[in-house]
Amino acid sequence: MTLITWRKEFETGIAEVDHEHRELVALINRLADDISAGADKERIQAFLGEVFARIAAHFALEESVMRKHLYDEYEAHKAEHETLLDEIRDIMDEAEDGYAETLSATVANWFVGHFKTKDARMHKNLRA
Ligand SMILES: [Fe+2]
Ligand SMILES: [Fe+2]
């Protein structure tokens, strides 16, 4: 099952950001595959840790690009990043039954929405 299918509209036109977006989409899809294949708990836990670290690193990259360009919606964009990281941490801390599925679905939905709104706007405004 492919959780997120890459779409043209996800492209921001900032090469390094797009590269990482594609990597994150592949990683989240791999996580979803592992979960549906019934991978053991330790493996999923380790994978979730990796996904969290990669997402956090990606957000740091975008935030440094925005700061460099004195991006006007920096605060709002950064706040959305932080909300997702908090949400992931909460789901991981609770680790209730089925949490890995909840987590991959939450992250997938969030990314699709964020790519199309916040990241797409960043692209347009940084180019201007
Ligand atoms: Fe992004
Ligand atoms: Fe972003």
Side-chain angles (χ1 to χ4, degrees), residues 62 77 81 114 119:
E62 275 187 10
H77 194 139
H81 287 167
H114 185 83
D119 288 353

Side-chain angles (χ1 to χ4, degrees), residues 21 58-59 62 66 77 81 110 114 118-119 122:
H21 281 171
H58 169 66
F59 288 170
E62 275 187 10
M66 288 189 279
H77 194 139
H81 287 167
W110 186 92
H114 185 83
K118 291 277 188 287
D119 288 353
M122 174 177 73

